[in-house]
Each structure stands twice: as structure tokens, then as C-alpha cells.
Amino acid sequence: MSKQKTSFPYFHVVGFLLSIAFTVLALMVAFQTNLPVKTVMIIIGGFAVLQAGLQLFMFMHMTEGKDKYSKVIHTVYAIFMAVVIVIGSIWVMTAGHSIH
């Protein structure tokens, strides 16, 4: 027989509430300040990075398990691929306009 935890998932609830808080803070910065658009975008991007990190540790269990090196390698690879896809997409979309 295996043991199962039946306690309330406080850790997940706190992570969810923090994710909502980051989203609300980003919305407040976007709609209730008179900051320049570039500054607002940088702040929203910062909140997005914080929320992604929060979700990695609270929901995707990055700190659990025995083989932590493979998790780090897979995470770094996933971040690299996401950056390549985003930058590549922006490059292709902006470079294509000069041809037409």
C-alpha cells in the first residue's frame, strides 16, 4: 500500500494567489500609471518572468526529486528554445516587410 497525502494543498493555493497578484499588479501598472509605454512593457515583462519562476517552483516541482541536474538542463534548454522561437519570429516578421 502506498501512502497518500490528504492534506490541503496550501503551497499550491499560495502560488495561485501570488500568480493572481502579479497579474493584477501588471494590470495596475498598465492602466493606472502614466509611465511611458516602453517602461510599462519592461515592468509587465518583469512580472511575467517572476510569475514564470513562481510557477516553475510552486506548480512544476522544480525543487523535488533526486536528479536535479537533469531538471536544470531541461529548464535551460526550454528557456533557450523559447528565446530562439520568440526572437526568430520577431526577426522573420520584421524582415519580411522590407521585401514587399
Side-chain angles (χ1 to χ4, degrees), residues 64-76:
E64 295 176 6
K66 295 179 182 178
D67 189 19
K68 293 184 182 186
Y69 292 112
S70 68
K71 288 182 183 180
V72 171
I73 291 170
H74 289 129
T75 303
V76 169

Side-chain angles (χ1 to χ4, degrees), residues 28-64:
M28 288 173 56
V29 167
F31 294 122
Q32 294 184 352
T33 63
N34 292 325
L35 296 172
V37 174
K38 286 186 179 182
T39 305
V40 170
M41 295 304 287
I42 290 171
I43 293 171
I44 289 173
F47 281 128
V49 169
L50 285 173
Q51 188 169 4
L54 175 82
Q55 289 180 4
L56 277 174
F57 288 103
M58 292 201 153
F59 298 120
M60 297 181 187
H61 308 287
M62 288 295 294
T63 58
E64 295 176 6

